[in-house]
Amino acid sequence: MSKKGDAEYRWNSGPFQIGIVPQGGAISRIDWIRPDGQGIINLLRPVTEQDIASGNPSSLGCFPMVPFANRLAFAEFEFDGRIVKVPANRPPSPHAIHGFGRGSEWNIERPTVDSLRFNHKYDDPESGFVYVAWQEFKVTAQDVTLEIGVRHLGRTPMPYGIGLHPWFPGGDDVSVSFIATDCFGTDEDMLPTTRTVIDLGRDFSDSKMIRHNRGLDVHYTGWHREADMVWEDAGYSLKMLASERFGNLQFYIPEDGKTFCVEPVSHVPNVHNRPEFKEFGDVLVLDRNQTLSGSMTLIPTLLARPDSGLVDDDDIAQPESRDYSLVD
């Protein structure tokens, strides 16, 4: 196990090895030991030592989004009769993106056998965002869960949103499926402009190969909080289950198709400035000491091959049920 203070902190639990980069609170790896004894699979996109040393969470496997997810137009919004300004953190764009957590140092707490928690504090009385945020891994023999949460510590209420931004390995053999009710059209800055029906090009209710959808960047609402990903050539699949708070989804496939993102989030991007979108996923106003949390669970499975000797899914122990209630 690595030491605190290292650029990458590694932690082993059950069949998983987790890598955490404290700068930015990013996840560098979730390695799964194959149950057939044939090595390991990194469930997230592979990263290099240079990526880890770069200090750029967007180059790693997963990063946190807090106290808002995705884009916030012109880095400001009106709340409680005043204009709240936040850093525009992707110059030269005038907009803010992904919150403050990925630009902060996270502190790793002492792990237990099956859980590991890390946190960061943010204190900006001028904006009103004063909070402590956490991420916590919980591991079983079948799955790994990552929870993100935030506790408001300011004297006056503030609106909060959260999300997780995992990057998965792409390729010509990879397919994805999920169900949602609606999605959003966007402007040239990828800010939502209108809710719309899910047309054929954005419908993933039946499994689709990501290679046919490069350049896609869509926000979905009414997501059923479940996604299935398959890497046919590598011989495994990954199911993502999200907690109730994560009723929205951002799905992104870069033009090169070498990676893709299935991002569980709590609200529509820029809903702070678009009150007409609140019914499709709103931020949550927290008073002092109130919390907001959500989680994603990743369940890897080897694909059954003819004459492989692998057991059917029905014979594999299924993960225990979880209580995903929101704590106020």
Side-chain angles (χ1 to χ4, degrees):
M1 183 178 295
S2 324
K3 296 180 180 179
K4 295 178 182 178
D6 291 347
E8 181 188 35
Y9 178 83
R10 294 196 188 185
W11 172 67
N12 300 325
S13 180
F16 299 97
Q17 182 181 73
I18 311 297
I20 298 168
V21 177
Q23 178 55 47
I27 313 305
S28 52
R29 70 188 70 244
I30 302 178
D31 289 337
W32 176 51
I33 301 174
R34 294 173 59 110
D36 60 2
Q38 300 299 309
I40 64 172
I41 294 172
N42 185 358
L43 302 180
L44 303 177
R45 70 173 176 186
V47 300
T48 66
E49 292 299 323
Q50 289 76 18
D51 293 328
I52 293 171
S54 72
N56 181 6
S58 292
S59 298
L60 300 176
C62 179
F63 62 79
M65 295 184 283
V66 61
F68 57 87
N70 303 116
R71 290 165 175 80
L72 180 60
F74 299 101
E76 65 179 31
F77 61 94
E78 183 177 353
F79 177 71
D80 200 22
R82 65 187 179 93
I83 299 298
V84 178
K85 295 181 178 291
V86 301
N89 53 359
R90 185 181 281 176
S93 170
H95 310 305
I97 189 168
H98 300 327
F100 320 135
R102 68 177 191 148
S104 302
E105 183 80 13
W106 292 64
N107 299 308
I108 298 173
E109 301 178 11
R110 183 182 297 275
T112 68
V113 172
D114 58 3
S115 66
L116 174 64
R117 186 179 175 102
F118 45 115
N119 63 75
H120 94 93
K121 293 182 179 180
Y122 189 85
D123 189 347
D124 181 14
E126 184 174 349
S127 71
F129 281 115
V130 182
Y131 65 82
V132 59
W134 71 87
Q135 296 179 77
E136 184 172 16
F137 276 105
K138 295 182 180 179
V139 170
T140 76
Q142 292 83 33
D143 61 51
V144 56
T145 295
L146 177 57
E147 177 186 79
I148 182 171
V150 60
R151 180 182 298 276
H152 179 54
L153 301 178
R155 293 184 177 181
T156 57
M158 286 294 289
Y160 282 85
I162 52 174
L164 292 167
H165 199 304
W167 299 79
F168 298 103
D172 289 346
D173 66 309
V174 183
S175 61
V176 178
S177 63
F178 59 84
I179 297 173
T181 58
D182 300 276
C183 63
F184 281 83
T186 58
D187 62 18
E188 60 184 10
D189 289 332
M190 298 309 299
L191 291 165
T193 57
T194 183
R195 179 181 65 91
T196 184
V197 297
I198 299 176
D199 57 27
L200 184 60
R202 294 175 289 187
D203 183 4
F204 284 79
S205 56
D206 291 326
S207 183
K208 281 186 176 181
M209 309 298 288
I210 68 167
R211 71 172 185 266
H212 300 310
N213 298 273
R214 294 176 182 177
L216 191 73
D217 193 357
V218 179
H219 186 82
Y220 294 86
T221 185
W223 178 44
H224 286 198
R225 297 185 286 111
E226 180 175 330
D228 290 286
M229 297 160 268
V230 177
W231 289 261
E232 188 68 34
D233 292 348
Y236 73 98
S237 65
L238 185 64
K239 179 181 288 293
M240 176 192 289
L241 301 177
S243 62
E244 184 175 358
R245 179 52 58 178
F246 284 152
N248 288 48
L249 181 75
Q250 190 76 25
F251 185 42
Y252 172 49
I253 308 171
E255 290 284 356
D256 62 11
K258 294 180 180 180
T259 183
F260 66 96
C261 303
V262 181
E263 310 165 35
V265 295
S266 64
H267 62 90
V268 177
N270 197 39
V271 70
H272 308 67
N273 294 305
R274 299 295 298 266
E276 68 272 29
F277 294 159
K278 288 180 179 293
E279 63 180 296
F280 306 110
D282 198 6
V283 289
L284 183 66
V285 176
L286 299 182
D287 210 339
R288 186 177 178 87
N289 285 324
Q290 287 186 318
T291 65
L292 168 66
S293 64
S295 63
M296 71 172 182
T297 297
L298 301 178
I299 309 168
T301 305
L302 294 180
L303 300 180
R305 303 292 195 188
D307 303 320
S308 66
L310 293 179
V311 297
D312 293 331
D313 287 347
D314 291 342
D315 297 325
I316 299 174
Q318 297 300 308
E320 59 187 288
S321 60
R322 303 278 175 83
D323 179 8
Y324 291 121
S325 58
L326 172 66
V327 179
D328 286 330

